[in-house]
Amino acid sequence: MQIIEGKLALEGNEKVAIVNARFNHIITDRLVEGARDAFLRHGGKDENLDLVLVPGAFEIPMALERLLAGGKYDAVCCVGAVIRGATPHFDYISAEATKGVANVALKYGKPVTFGVLTVDNLEQAIERAGSKAGNKGFESMVGIVELLSLYRQF
Ligand SMILES: Nc1c(NC[C@H](O)[C@H](O)[C@H](O)CO)[nH]c(=O)[nH]c1=O
Ligand SMILES: CC(=O)[C@@H](O)COP(=O)(O)O
């Protein structure tokens, strides 16, 4: 049986964008740090990494669409933090961000990962932004590294 999988190493010439939602930036800034760390530690060059800032998670899909349509980037890592409040707003923002990113990714066939936290409270967000539950930004960029290697094979 042939197993086709990506390597956890960049070639060094890949151009990648991070789309970050500023909302809850106390959290999302940490996700960006994790994503950048992963990119550099897996062979990426800092001059090949761009950070695109949008107001909130709801705006991530449109920024993703414009970045991929422009053809400048080999992959896009999306990060954000949607934290449940007192109203159903959380459900709408989370759903639209998730489905929007998925739909755009399928349209362009380039590596896109979803590192947007959708959590019930700030403590859960902190745990996933560089503490006891890891860093979702780092994890999402590792996914980009793997997909860039994988998609070269087919
Ligand atoms: N409550 C959160 C938001 N809300 C803002 C929306 O994402 C959007 O920017 C606004 O509705 C204007 O279109 N965004 C997050 O990223 N996280 C939240 O917890
Ligand atoms: C995810 C959100 O939009 C949330 O932060 C909004 O809080 P609230 O539901 O209390 O207005």
Side-chain angles (χ1 to χ4, degrees), residues 21-24 28 54-60 80-85 89-90 93 116-117:
R22 291 181 188 276
F23 204 106
N24 293 319
T28 65
V54 296
F58 184 81
E59 286 77 33
I60 291 175
V82 187
I83 302 176
R84 191 181 298 276
H89 199 228
F90 167 90
I93 298 299
V116 179
L117 300 178

Side-chain angles (χ1 to χ4, degrees), residues 58-135:
F58 184 81
E59 286 77 33
I60 291 175
M62 179 58 82
L64 175 64
E65 162 76 36
R66 295 175 67 88
L67 287 168
L68 292 177
K72 178 180 175 183
Y73 297 98
D74 299 307
V76 182
C77 179
C78 303
V79 296
V82 187
I83 302 176
R84 191 181 298 276
T87 72
H89 199 228
F90 167 90
D91 300 305
Y92 295 99
I93 298 299
S94 300
E96 290 307 310
T98 307
K99 183 48 67 184
V101 168
N103 287 341
V104 173
L106 285 169
K107 177 178 174 183
Y108 289 94
K110 286 189 172 180
V112 173
T113 53
F114 187 77
V116 179
L117 300 178
T118 51
V119 293
D120 288 323
N121 54 57
L122 185 58
E123 182 180 11
Q124 289 180 351
I126 292 169
E127 290 174 345
R128 291 154 180 81
S131 65
K132 62 192 290 188
N135 186 305

Side-chain angles (χ1 to χ4, degrees), residues 7-84:
K7 294 179 171 56
L8 295 183
L10 293 167
E11 293 183 345
N13 57 357
E14 297 89 346
K15 184 82 173 163
V16 174
I18 299 169
V19 178
N20 179 39
R22 291 181 188 276
F23 204 106
N24 293 319
H25 74 84
I26 189 174
I27 297 297
T28 65
D29 289 350
R30 306 288 80 74
L31 300 179
V32 170
E33 290 169 2
R36 182 179 184 194
D37 186 35
F39 182 74
L40 298 176
R41 291 171 68 179
H42 288 83
K45 292 188 172 64
D46 208 30
E47 59 265 27
N48 290 334
L49 184 64
D50 289 344
L51 175 61
V52 177
L53 297 168
V54 296
F58 184 81
E59 286 77 33
I60 291 175
M62 179 58 82
L64 175 64
E65 162 76 36
R66 295 175 67 88
L67 287 168
L68 292 177
K72 178 180 175 183
Y73 297 98
D74 299 307
V76 182
C77 179
C78 303
V79 296
V82 187
I83 302 176
R84 191 181 298 276

